[in-house]
Amino acid sequence: MKKLNQLSKKGWQFVALTILLSSIPYYFIISDGDTSSNWTMFLMWMPALAGIIMRLSYKEGLFKGMSWNPIKHFKWILIAAFVPLCIDIASIILTVFMGAGELKADFITIVEGQITLRGVAMILGASAQPWYVLVPNFLLSYFIGALLYSLTFALGEEYGWRGYLQKEWASSNSELFGFVAIGAIWGWWHLPSILLGHNYPDYPILGGFILMPILTFLFSIVFGFAFNKTRVIWIPVVFHGALNISSEISNAGLIEESINKPINDFIWTSLWAAAAFVFWRKYRASNNPDSINESLVIT
């Protein structure tokens, strides 16, 4: 209870407002019984709308505490884009190695030094290419896809969760309980979708109430610690976008019917736990002293 009292009233108001606004798209999602409907896009923008309303209500700057310059700390943009990709590739390798899934026979084919990658859209096409063309083609295509998804969907969530709620509950990387609370709220915010079969179709109750909040806590550590260090909002936005885009690689590479879901979920979650531990050890006491108490509007 003492820990809960440390969480600001404004943060709870934001949470309540986000739930209230989210009930509108959730009503249509649940009525349709389809989490892939267009209402899901509106749902992802409800945290941002709640954050904007809270900032206007308390006469705060819409961009207070955030830098919007994508060039600032650009190496972090690259980290945000490619850490999720590395985790998903490692997850595929470990899943196959442990016999918890089978790689599609035609996912990668190599004939006379020409590589074909099927099921993955790439700018220069996915037909047979030498490795020195395919690798940059794949990485550039993935990076652009992650950026587009970030702008279209992930920005809506991250402006709210990191841009507003983290400001209230975990503005310092030493405030671990704040990250726990953000992760729990963020995870349970997904509950109606998960109970409909999204993310954890084989065990929606376990996934919705326990597994997803664990994951969102780990994401909150990685996304949030990076944001507190840099104050560049695009970094958690790209992390979020890259996370969703990179997860599609498993869908393209593994035979769906062969996947042992519990083992695969355990592997993926464990890899994110390792990433969160690294971020926690390295950045737990770090902040950006030049920007913590400033209102930044950088274009």
Side-chain angles (χ1 to χ4, degrees), residues 227-239:
F227 178 55
N228 275 351
K229 181 173 177 61
T230 63
R231 301 294 162 174
V232 177
I233 190 60
W234 293 117
I235 292 170
V237 169
V238 172
F239 254 124

Side-chain angles (χ1 to χ4, degrees), residues 21 23 25 38-40 54 59-60 115 143 159 161 165 207 217 257 271 280 284 287 294-296:
L21 292 172
S23 66
N38 291 332
W39 286 104
T40 299
M54 288 295 297
K59 299 180 180 179
E60 299 177 14
I115 306 172
F143 185 62
Y159 180 93
W161 303 126
L165 189 56
F217 165 62
E257 296 77 11
L271 290 171
W280 177 74
R284 59 184 168 178
N287 292 293
E294 296 179 1
S295 297
L296 295 175

Side-chain angles (χ1 to χ4, degrees), residues 30-66:
I30 294 171
S31 297
D32 295 340
D34 182 10
T35 58
S36 62
S37 71
N38 291 332
W39 286 104
T40 299
M41 180 183 72
F42 287 97
L43 176 67
M44 294 183 72
W45 279 91
M46 292 303 101
L49 181 57
I52 290 171
I53 292 173
M54 288 295 297
R55 287 176 179 273
L56 291 175
S57 298
Y58 283 94
K59 299 180 180 179
E60 299 177 14
L62 291 180
F63 309 121
K64 181 181 179 181
M66 293 181 280

